[in-house]
Coordinates of all heavy atoms in Angstrom, one line a residue:
I88 N 26.3 34.1 -18.5 CA 25.2 34.8 -17.8 C 25.1 36.2 -18.3 O 26.0 36.9 -18.2 CB 25.5 34.7 -16.3 CG1 25.6 33.3 -15.7 CG2 24.2 35.4 -15.6 CD1 25.9 33.2 -14.2
P89 N 23.9 36.5 -18.8 CA 23.7 37.9 -19.2 C 23.6 38.9 -18.0 O 22.9 38.6 -17.1 CB 22.3 37.9 -19.9 CG 21.8 36.5 -19.7 CD 22.7 35.7 -19.0
V90 N 24.5 39.8 -18.0 CA 24.5 40.8 -16.8 C 24.6 42.2 -17.4 O 24.5 42.4 -18.6 CB 25.7 40.5 -16.0 CG1 25.6 39.2 -15.2 CG2 27.0 40.6 -16.7
T91 N 24.6 43.2 -16.5 CA 24.9 44.7 -17.0 C 26.3 44.9 -16.5 O 26.9 44.2 -15.6 CB 23.9 45.6 -16.3 OG1 24.0 45.6 -15.0 CG2 22.5 45.2 -16.8
V92 N 26.8 46.1 -16.9 CA 28.1 46.6 -16.4 C 28.3 46.6 -15.0 O 29.2 46.2 -14.4 CB 28.5 47.9 -17.2 CG1 29.7 48.5 -16.5 CG2 28.7 47.7 -18.7
S93 N 27.1 47.0 -14.4 CA 27.2 47.2 -12.9 C 26.9 46.1 -12.0 O 26.8 46.2 -10.8 CB 26.4 48.4 -12.5 OG 25.0 48.1 -12.9
T94 N 26.5 44.9 -12.7 CA 26.1 43.7 -11.8 C 27.2 43.4 -10.9 O 28.4 43.3 -11.1 CB 25.8 42.5 -12.8 OG1 24.8 42.9 -13.7 CG2 25.3 41.3 -12.0
R95 N 26.6 43.1 -9.5 CA 27.6 42.7 -8.5 C 27.8 41.2 -8.5 O 26.9 40.5 -8.9 CB 27.0 43.1 -7.1 CG 26.6 44.7 -7.0 CD 27.7 45.5 -6.8 NE 27.6 46.7 -7.5 CZ 28.3 47.8 -7.4 NH1 29.3 47.8 -6.6 NH2 28.1 48.9 -8.1
T96 N 28.9 40.9 -7.8 CA 29.3 39.4 -7.8 C 28.2 38.6 -7.1 O 27.9 37.5 -7.5 CB 30.6 39.3 -7.0 OG1 31.5 40.0 -7.8 CG2 31.0 37.9 -7.0
L97 N 27.5 39.2 -6.0 CA 26.6 38.6 -5.2 C 25.4 38.2 -6.1 O 24.8 37.0 -5.9 CB 26.1 39.5 -4.2 CG 24.9 38.9 -3.2 CD1 25.5 37.8 -2.4 CD2 24.4 39.9 -2.3
V98 N 25.0 38.9 -7.1 CA 23.8 38.5 -8.0 C 24.2 37.3 -8.8 O 23.4 36.4 -8.9 CB 23.5 39.7 -8.9 CG1 22.5 39.3 -9.9 CG2 23.2 40.9 -8.2
V99 N 25.4 37.3 -9.3 CA 25.8 36.0 -10.0 C 25.8 34.8 -9.1 O 25.4 33.7 -9.4 CB 27.2 36.3 -10.7 CG1 27.7 35.0 -11.3 CG2 27.1 37.3 -11.7
K100 N 26.3 35.0 -7.9 CA 26.4 33.9 -6.9 C 25.0 33.4 -6.7 O 24.7 32.2 -6.6 CB 27.0 34.3 -5.6 CG 28.6 34.4 -5.5 CD 28.9 34.6 -4.1 CE 30.4 34.6 -3.9 NZ 30.8 35.0 -2.5
E101 N 24.0 34.3 -6.5 CA 22.7 33.9 -6.2 C 22.0 33.1 -7.3 O 21.3 32.1 -7.0 CB 21.8 35.2 -5.8 CG 21.9 35.6 -4.4 CD 21.3 37.0 -4.1 OE1 21.0 37.7 -5.1 OE2 21.2 37.3 -2.9
L102 N 22.4 33.6 -8.5 CA 21.8 32.8 -9.7 C 22.3 31.4 -9.7 O 21.5 30.4 -9.9 CB 22.2 33.5 -11.0 CG 21.3 34.7 -11.4 CD1 22.0 35.5 -12.6 CD2 19.9 34.2 -11.8
I103 N 23.7 31.3 -9.5 CA 24.2 29.9 -9.5 C 23.7 29.2 -8.3 O 23.5 27.9 -8.4 CB 25.8 30.0 -9.4 CG1 26.2 30.7 -10.8 CG2 26.5 28.7 -9.4 CD1 27.6 31.1 -10.9
S104 N 23.6 29.8 -7.2 CA 23.0 29.0 -5.9 C 21.6 28.5 -6.3 O 21.2 27.3 -6.0 CB 22.9 30.0 -4.9 OG 22.2 29.4 -3.8
Q105 N 20.9 29.4 -7.0 CA 19.4 28.9 -7.3 C 19.4 27.6 -8.2 O 18.7 26.7 -8.1 CB 18.7 30.0 -8.0 CG 17.9 30.9 -7.1 CD 17.1 31.9 -7.8 OE1 16.7 31.7 -8.9 NE2 16.7 32.9 -7.1
K106 N 20.4 27.7 -9.1 CA 20.4 26.6 -10.1 C 21.1 25.2 -9.5 O 20.6 24.3 -9.8 CB 21.3 27.0 -11.3 CG 21.3 26.1 -12.4 CD 21.6 26.7 -13.8 CE 21.8 25.6 -14.9 NZ 20.6 24.9 -15.1
T107 N 22.1 25.4 -8.6 CA 22.8 24.3 -8.2 C 22.4 23.9 -6.7 O 22.7 22.8 -6.3 CB 24.3 24.6 -8.1 OG1 24.5 25.7 -7.2 CG2 24.9 24.9 -9.4
G108 N 21.8 24.8 -6.0 CA 21.4 24.4 -4.6 C 22.6 24.6 -3.7 O 22.4 24.4 -2.5
V109 N 23.8 25.1 -4.1 CA 24.9 25.4 -3.2 C 24.7 26.7 -2.6 O 24.3 27.6 -3.2 CB 26.2 25.2 -4.1 CG1 27.4 25.5 -3.2 CG2 26.3 23.9 -4.6
H110 N 24.9 26.9 -1.3 CA 24.7 28.1 -0.6 C 25.8 29.1 -1.1 O 26.9 28.8 -1.3 CB 24.8 27.9 0.9 CG 24.2 29.0 1.7 ND1 25.0 30.1 1.9 CD2 23.0 29.2 2.2 CE1 24.2 31.0 2.6 NE2 23.0 30.4 2.7
I111 N 25.4 30.4 -1.2 CA 26.4 31.4 -1.7 C 27.6 31.6 -0.8 O 28.7 31.8 -1.3 CB 25.7 32.8 -1.8 CG1 24.9 33.2 -0.5 CG2 24.9 32.9 -3.0 CD1 24.5 34.7 -0.6
D112 N 27.4 31.3 0.5 CA 28.7 31.4 1.4 C 29.6 30.3 1.1 O 30.8 30.4 1.5 CB 28.2 31.2 2.9 CG 27.4 32.5 3.3 OD1 27.4 33.4 2.6 OD2 26.8 32.4 4.4
D113 N 29.2 29.2 0.4 CA 30.1 28.2 0.1 C 30.8 28.3 -1.2 O 31.5 27.4 -1.8 CB 29.4 26.8 0.1 CG 28.9 26.4 1.5 OD1 29.5 26.9 2.5 OD2 27.8 25.8 1.6
M114 N 30.6 29.5 -1.9 CA 31.2 29.7 -3.3 C 32.1 30.8 -3.1 O 32.1 31.8 -2.4 CB 30.1 30.2 -4.3 CG 29.0 29.3 -4.4 SD 27.9 30.1 -5.6 CE 26.4 29.2 -5.4
K115 N 33.2 30.8 -4.0 CA 34.2 31.8 -4.2 C 34.1 32.2 -5.6 O 34.4 31.3 -6.5 CB 35.5 31.4 -3.7 CG 35.7 31.3 -2.2 CD 37.2 30.9 -1.9 CE 37.3 31.0 -0.4 NZ 38.6 30.6 0.1
V116 N 34.1 33.4 -5.9 CA 34.2 33.9 -7.3 C 35.6 34.6 -7.4 O 35.9 35.5 -6.8 CB 33.0 34.8 -7.8 CG1 33.2 35.4 -9.1 CG2 31.7 34.0 -7.7
M117 N 36.4 34.1 -8.5 CA 37.7 34.6 -8.6 C 37.9 35.3 -9.9 O 37.3 34.8 -11.0 CB 38.8 33.4 -8.5 CG 38.5 32.3 -7.5 SD 38.9 32.9 -5.8 CE 40.7 33.0 -5.9
A118 N 38.7 36.2 -10.0 CA 39.0 36.8 -11.3 C 40.5 37.2 -11.3 O 41.0 37.4 -10.3 CB 38.1 38.1 -11.6
K119 N 41.0 37.5 -12.5 CA 42.4 37.8 -12.5 C 42.7 39.2 -12.1 O 42.0 40.2 -12.4 CB 42.9 37.8 -14.1 CG 43.7 36.5 -14.4 CD 44.4 36.6 -15.7 CE 45.5 35.6 -15.7 NZ 46.2 35.7 -16.9
G120 N 43.6 39.4 -11.2 CA 43.9 40.7 -10.5 C 45.5 40.7 -10.8 O 46.2 40.1 -9.9
G121 N 46.0 41.3 -11.9 CA 47.5 41.2 -12.1 C 47.9 39.9 -12.5 O 47.1 39.1 -13.2
P122 N 49.0 39.3 -12.0 CA 49.4 37.9 -12.3 C 48.7 36.9 -11.6 O 48.8 35.8 -11.9 CB 50.9 38.0 -11.9 CG 51.0 39.0 -11.0 CD 50.1 40.1 -11.2
F123 N 47.9 37.3 -10.6 CA 47.3 36.3 -9.8 C 45.7 36.3 -9.9 O 45.2 37.2 -10.4 CB 47.5 36.5 -8.3 CG 49.0 36.5 -8.0 CD1 49.6 37.7 -7.6 CD2 49.8 35.3 -8.0 CE1 51.0 37.7 -7.4 CE2 51.1 35.3 -7.8 CZ 51.8 36.6 -7.5
M124 N 45.1 35.2 -9.3 CA 43.6 35.2 -9.3 C 43.3 35.8 -7.9 O 44.0 35.4 -6.9 CB 43.1 33.8 -9.4 CG 43.4 33.1 -10.7 SD 42.5 33.9 -12.1 CE 40.9 33.1 -11.9
K125 N 42.3 36.7 -7.8 CA 41.9 37.2 -6.5 C 40.4 37.0 -6.3 O 39.7 37.0 -7.4 CB 42.4 38.5 -6.2 CG 41.6 39.6 -7.0 CD 42.0 41.0 -6.4 CE 41.0 41.9 -7.0 NZ 40.6 43.0 -6.4
E126 N 40.0 36.8 -5.1 CA 38.6 36.6 -4.9 C 37.8 37.9 -5.0 O 38.2 38.9 -4.4 CB 38.4 35.9 -3.5 CG 36.9 35.6 -3.2 CD 36.6 35.0 -1.8 OE1 37.6 34.6 -1.2 OE2 35.4 34.9 -1.5

Side-chain angles (χ1 to χ4, degrees):
I88 302 180
V90 292
T91 65
V92 167
S93 58
T94 299
R95 308 280 142 170
T96 303
L97 180 64
V98 175
V99 169
K100 278 187 176 175
E101 276 171 346
L102 278 169
I103 295 172
S104 168
Q105 265 182 27
K106 188 157 173 62
T107 59
V109 176
H110 196 276
I111 48 169
D112 292 348
D113 297 330
M114 298 176 200
K115 281 184 179 174
V116 174
M117 321 285 292
K119 256 193 154 175
F123 303 108
M124 296 295 279
K125 72 166 193 152
E126 184 179 350

